Amino acid sequence: MDSTRNERGSINAIIEIGGNRRNQTVVILHPETCLSWSSTISISVEGIADEKIAVAEMSTPIPRLSDKATEQALAALDRGDTRDALDKLTKAITFDACNAYAYATRGFLHFDLGDRDRGFADLTSAIEAAPENAAWYAFRAILYRRIDDLPRAIADLDKVLEIDPDDKVAVLERGTCLHWLNKRDAAIADFTRALTLDPGSDEAYYLRGRTWFQKARYPDAIADFTECLRIAPTRVDAYVARGETFVSRANRPNNKPAKTLLYLNSAIADLDRAISLAPRNSEAYRWRARAHRSVERFDASIADFTKSLSLCSEVETPDLYVDRAETYYARWMQSRRDEDFDLAIADLSVAVARDHDCGYWHDLLVGYHMDRGCLRYGASQYHAAIADFSKAIELGGNADPHLVAQSFVRRGGAYLSAGLLDLAIADFTEALAREPGEVEARRHRGRAWRAKGDHIRAIADFTAVIEQRPADLDAYRLRALARWAIGERAAAALDLAEGINVADRAPFETDRKRRDIAQAHVLMFAGRTDEARQLYLKWRGELGSEDIGSLVFLAPTWEQTIREEFNEFCEVGIHHPLMDEIAAIFLGPAS
């Protein structure tokens, strides 16, 4: 590694940082003999991937070394004899208690050998021996960064800049520490200051761009990465960062489709360039995979995620497995092939096995099975839906409790539709034990009680729904059915009349289509047949796939739901001629 003397008589120290975990190599040079010692320092830094940063011209004047022990220590380091170097450095300090160079060198050695306390003690002694020399503060800051003690690293860098306000390396390092402490405005101020000191610093543009990205200031980030690449046109991490920024900008809500596609194509172009320069850069493949997924190029996305996985260590792979799982899942949503669903579950299972504490991944596992269960329910495949909801419950031990409660509600609905009334009631009761305010569990438990002929319990459940949501027209209809079945016809008529009043004075609190069906029923029995007819035909053929599996509906289509609810009226002896008219329309050629 080269070094040069700057105009203040200082020795330039080169710091190289590479990969997801930064490896800093600090070279302490003897200005007269050019003996050197390199110590590899690993600092955990998350979020900036695959960096290769060269930071030069740190103002670190090293004093002339005249004692023989220090020179022997450097020779021992040069041949890799660490223990002998420690002995010689200790002798040098014994000869000269103010030998800051010896203290600093021994401090790094102690630190690398696992003795942090002695390492910091020696760096502190170096500072005490030569408090006017910024180098020792800079080196202690490096050790503080190694243990992620960023506030103390910043304090030492503040001291460096107090001694030498124009030390651009210290400004960049302090900005980086501030970035990782989420003090992003202060970090941007430091990176901007570094650009004032050195307008041609690609590193300062890169780091400021990363901070703009963290603030979701994507246009500013793209501008800085572009300037970085103008200065350093083959800088891989800048292409990856700009590509990542384009992907994030494309995924913002309310983008126009043409803009979204433009951003994603720009991202892919940047990531293609990064991969051409560094074919083993895993982050470039990862972000290109995400861009491909966003434009529904699922096969290309999966191929890139697979390549990224092959380039990573096992420790880095769990979130990549989740990423690939989400692509398999997206392809399954389009293809409905069970093979894609199974591949998504397999990838999620690997991620969970490697990092069991990530609750979001457990939520995804549960959510995937719930989604497929809802689709199967909507296709009247009730037993297959029950299997999926059961799997969601089985896997829900570490998931969001609300998701698990909803799995019981959904499985209860599938049991109800399959005629397994006792199992349905058990699931709805379990859901209510977990979430006492769960309206749909109570509504559908009431339906299950009514199907079993236990109208008293059914009425209690429907009444509880109405108390919780006074504008719930469907609950009035269901309670009216139960009351009619036990001969309380006057009470049933009151429920239907109250439904009309509710419809006139308050918004319904669930799905608009569900409200329209319930309102049509009560209007029909109130003799307002023209209004009822308009509502019955309002959404004909328009109950979309987003409604499939919703337990608010009895069937996956608008027409089927209305016809089945007509059947419920008929089962208790309630009939109106409009029912026959509407049913005939639904059974005609246009239905």
Side-chain angles (χ1 to χ4, degrees):
M1 193 174 285
D2 296 330
S3 68
T4 57
R5 186 184 302 275
N6 65 27
E7 61 186 26
R8 298 177 57 216
S10 305
I11 295 297
N12 298 335
I14 306 297
I15 299 177
E16 289 190 353
I17 306 171
N20 288 332
R21 303 184 69 83
R22 295 184 169 194
N23 294 320
Q24 295 192 343
T25 301
V26 179
V27 180
I28 304 176
L29 296 166
H30 189 313
E32 299 298 327
T33 64
C34 290
L35 295 175
S36 66
W37 164 57
S38 299
S39 170
T40 299
I41 302 171
S42 297
I43 298 177
S44 175
V45 178
E46 299 177 357
I48 294 182
D50 226 27
E51 298 181 78
K52 181 71 176 175
I53 305 172
V55 183
E57 297 182 7
M58 181 182 288
S59 299
T60 53
I62 307 298
R64 178 183 176 85
L65 304 176
S66 57
D67 65 283
K68 192 170 184 179
T70 302
E71 293 182 356
Q72 288 174 345
L74 294 174
L77 286 171
D78 201 37
R79 66 175 183 269
D81 191 340
T82 304
R83 291 297 173 186
D84 186 44
L86 277 174
D87 290 341
K88 295 296 190 298
L89 290 167
T90 300
K91 287 180 181 179
I93 292 166
T94 301
F95 294 149
D96 179 4
C98 294
N99 189 335
Y101 183 88
Y103 276 120
T105 307
R106 190 176 71 173
F108 272 103
L109 278 175
H110 280 312
F111 202 98
D112 279 349
L113 293 171
D115 194 338
R116 292 182 177 182
D117 292 340
R118 293 180 72 180
F120 279 113
D122 273 348
L123 263 296
T124 301
S125 294
I127 290 169
E128 291 169 351
E132 75 289 345
N133 192 323
W136 315 131
Y137 292 101
F139 292 149
R140 190 171 67 177
I142 290 169
L143 294 191
Y144 280 130
R145 284 197 61 187
R146 284 182 68 176
I147 62 170
D148 292 326
D149 191 342
L150 299 181
R152 285 182 174 169
I154 290 169
D156 274 347
L157 292 165
D158 287 343
K159 190 65 179 178
V160 172
L161 292 167
E162 179 184 320
I163 295 169
D164 182 2
D166 294 335
D167 189 328
K168 63 187 179 185
V169 172
V171 174
L172 283 175
E173 285 297 298
R174 188 175 66 179
T176 302
C177 292
L178 290 166
H179 172 93
W180 295 117
L181 285 174
N182 292 323
K183 296 181 178 180
R184 292 166 185 154
D185 290 336
I188 286 170
D190 268 352
F191 298 141
T192 303
R193 169 67 177 155
L195 285 166
T196 301
L197 295 169
D198 180 8
S201 172
D202 61 300
E203 179 64 12
Y205 278 113
Y206 176 82
L207 291 172
R208 192 173 68 176
R210 294 299 298 174
T211 311
W212 287 128
F213 176 85
Q214 293 297 327
K215 286 171 67 69
R217 294 273 295 272
Y218 300 136
D220 291 321
I222 289 167
D224 273 352
F225 294 137
T226 300
E227 189 61 22
C228 172
L229 288 165
R230 183 190 66 79
I231 298 166
T234 59
R235 182 163 176 164
V236 172
D237 57 354
Y239 280 111
V240 174
R242 192 170 67 176
E244 175 185 356
T245 308
F246 276 126
V247 172
S248 299
R249 193 173 186 186
N251 290 334
R252 274 191 159 174
N254 303 322
N255 274 341
K256 292 183 178 178
K259 279 284 188 184
T260 297
L261 186 60
L262 175 65
Y263 294 143
L264 291 171
N265 286 336
S266 297
I268 290 169
D270 271 348
L271 296 162
D272 285 346
R273 176 64 173 150
I275 289 167
S276 71
L277 292 168
R280 298 188 60 78
N281 187 303
S282 64
E283 283 299 296
Y285 285 105
R286 177 178 189 161
W287 280 102
R288 191 173 69 176
R290 288 178 171 175
H292 282 312
R293 181 174 63 204
S294 294
V295 292
E296 298 187 353
R297 298 172 189 155
F298 298 128
D299 293 346
S301 177
I302 289 165
D304 273 348
F305 280 129
T306 302
K307 181 66 174 179
S308 184
L309 278 164
S310 73
L311 297 171
C312 290
S313 67
E314 185 171 315
V315 146
E316 298 171 299
T317 58
D319 54 346
L320 275 170
Y321 277 107
V322 174
D323 252 330
R324 191 172 66 176
E326 292 197 78
T327 308
Y328 280 127
Y329 178 79
R331 192 169 71 178
W332 168 74
M333 290 293 290
Q334 188 178 85
S335 70
R336 295 292 190 265
R337 292 197 307 262
D338 281 341
E339 178 188 2
D340 284 334
F341 185 87
D342 292 341
L343 288 167
I345 294 298
D347 272 354
L348 271 181
S349 299
V350 171
V352 167
R354 294 186 179 182
D355 186 357
H356 196 263
D357 295 330
C358 185
Y360 173 66
W361 298 348
H362 291 276
D363 291 350
L364 280 179
L365 267 177
V366 171
Y368 283 4
H369 282 290
M370 285 182 67
D371 286 348
R372 188 169 69 171
C374 286
L375 287 170
R376 287 172 163 177
Y377 175 90
S380 301
Q381 299 172 3
Y382 301 127
H383 290 284
I386 288 166
D388 268 325
F389 296 138
S390 297
K391 193 66 176 177
I393 292 166
E394 176 191 333
L395 296 170
N398 294 91
D400 182 346
H402 175 68
L403 281 177
V404 181
Q406 288 301 303
S407 298
F408 278 107
V409 175
R410 300 244 184 281
R411 190 174 69 176
Y415 279 136
L416 177 59
S417 295
L420 303 170
L421 302 179
D422 290 332
L423 291 173
I425 290 168
D427 270 358
F428 294 136
T429 302
E430 178 64 26
L432 287 165
R434 291 168 180 261
E435 293 188 346
E438 185 19 77
V439 171
E440 297 308 320
R442 198 171 297 280
R443 180 200 312 278
H444 292 291
R445 188 176 68 176
R447 289 182 57 228
W449 285 126
R450 189 170 67 82
K452 280 177 65 70
D454 193 337
H455 298 291
I456 300 302
R457 285 180 173 171
I459 290 169
D461 273 341
F462 300 142
T463 301
V465 172
I466 291 168
E467 289 172 351
Q468 189 172 344
R469 291 177 22 178
D472 195 318
L473 279 76
D474 188 54
Y476 285 105
R477 178 187 71 86
L478 290 168
R479 191 170 68 177
L481 287 172
R483 283 175 166 172
W484 191 281
I486 60 174
E488 296 180 357
R489 299 193 174 189
L494 284 174
D495 272 340
L496 293 174
E498 180 60 20
I500 288 290
N501 293 332
V502 166
D504 289 340
R505 73 172 181 260
F508 195 59
E509 298 176 13
T510 58
D511 187 279
R512 175 57 189 266
K513 298 184 182 74
R514 172 68 269 173
R515 176 185 186 277
D516 286 342
I517 292 175
Q519 189 174 3
H521 293 331
V522 293
L523 288 170
M524 175 177 65
F525 290 116
R528 293 157 63 177
T529 53
D530 288 341
E531 296 171 74
R533 184 183 295 105
Q534 289 179 359
L535 284 175
Y536 281 135
L537 301 177
K538 179 177 179 180
W539 299 102
R540 189 181 177 199
E542 293 188 21
L543 191 59
S545 60
E546 71 275 7
D547 298 310
I548 289 177
S550 171
L551 295 180
V552 175
F553 296 92
L554 294 182
T557 70
W558 171 264
E559 293 87 350
Q560 284 177 272
T561 296
I562 292 173
R563 285 165 53 202
E564 291 194 22
E565 292 188 8
F566 284 168
N567 289 337
E568 286 187 324
F569 285 121
C570 293
E571 285 172 4
V572 298
I574 302 176
H575 183 265
H576 191 285
L578 185 60
M579 293 182 188
D580 298 330
E581 177 188 332
I582 297 299
I585 293 172
F586 286 164
L587 291 172
S591 64

